[in-house]
């Protein structure tokens, strides 16, 4: 299909209409895992960047040592400091993930016992509300406007 043919082709082809010989560049697949929460993802990106910079510092320190450069000692010190910061970054990801899970409930996996407990609580609340509604209806049907169902005989 040349450029002129593409210009003349209708632009609004729906997903149901497939041209013969047409093959999309990619196919959409559902994600295997859920997306990480924003704070955890931010901490993970930060940790990856710090680890990458630390690895670069260590490599430069190694190469400077091989070249017997004066820059070797400061680079070794920088890579040691970078290792400490990278360890902090990885621990930050772990702690942020734990805090997120504690604040926003457990991760729902089929073996989670908390899910069954929540489901049971919801069922009990629904039954209590239904019983309460049924009780209100029975009270409303019994008597007239605020009268007792069996008024005493005047005597």
């Amino acid at each position: 299909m040349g450029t002129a043919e593409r210009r003349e082709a209708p632009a609004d082809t729906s997903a149901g209409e497939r041209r013969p010989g047409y093959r999309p560049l990619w196919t959409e697949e559902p994600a295997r895992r859920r997306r990480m929460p924003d704070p955890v993802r931010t901490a993970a990106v930060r940790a990856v960047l710090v680890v990458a910079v630390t690895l670069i510092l260590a490599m430069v320190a190694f190469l400077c040592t091989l070249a017997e450069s004066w820059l070797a000692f400061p680079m070794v010190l920088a890579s040691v400091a970078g290792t400490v910061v990278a360890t902090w970054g990885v621990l930050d990801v772990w702690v942020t993930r734990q805090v997120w899970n504690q604040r926003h409930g457990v991760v729902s996996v089929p073996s989670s016992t908390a899910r069954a407990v929540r489901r049971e609580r919801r069922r009990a609340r629904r039954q209590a509300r239904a019983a309460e509604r049924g009780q209100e209806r029975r009270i409303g049907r019994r008597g007239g406007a605020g009268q007792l169902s069996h008024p005493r005989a005047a005597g």
Side-chain angles (χ1 to χ4, degrees), residues 112-131:
S112 173
T113 55
R115 181 196 259 171
V117 170
R118 282 195 312 249
R119 189 180 300 133
E120 189 59 39
R121 276 194 207 131
R122 266 186 259 130
R123 187 178 299 130
R125 268 186 267 146
R126 263 188 250 124
Q127 287 174 350
R129 272 188 260 135

Side-chain angles (χ1 to χ4, degrees), residues 68-116:
E68 297 179 0
S69 171
W70 64 272
L71 200 56
F73 183 67
M75 291 308 289
V76 167
L77 290 180
S79 63
V80 168
T83 303
V84 171
V85 174
T87 304
W88 169 83
V90 172
L91 285 175
D92 181 42
V93 173
W94 183 69
V95 169
T96 306
R97 186 171 167 269
Q98 295 298 324
V99 168
W100 176 269
N101 286 340
Q102 282 183 355
R103 287 186 182 163
H104 298 91
V106 297
V107 178
S108 287
V109 292
S111 63
S112 173
T113 55
R115 181 196 259 171

Side-chain angles (χ1 to χ4, degrees), residues 13-26:
T13 56
S14 64
E17 302 173 18
R18 295 280 183 217
R19 295 187 303 259
Y22 173 76
R23 202 178 79 211
L25 292 175
W26 66 85

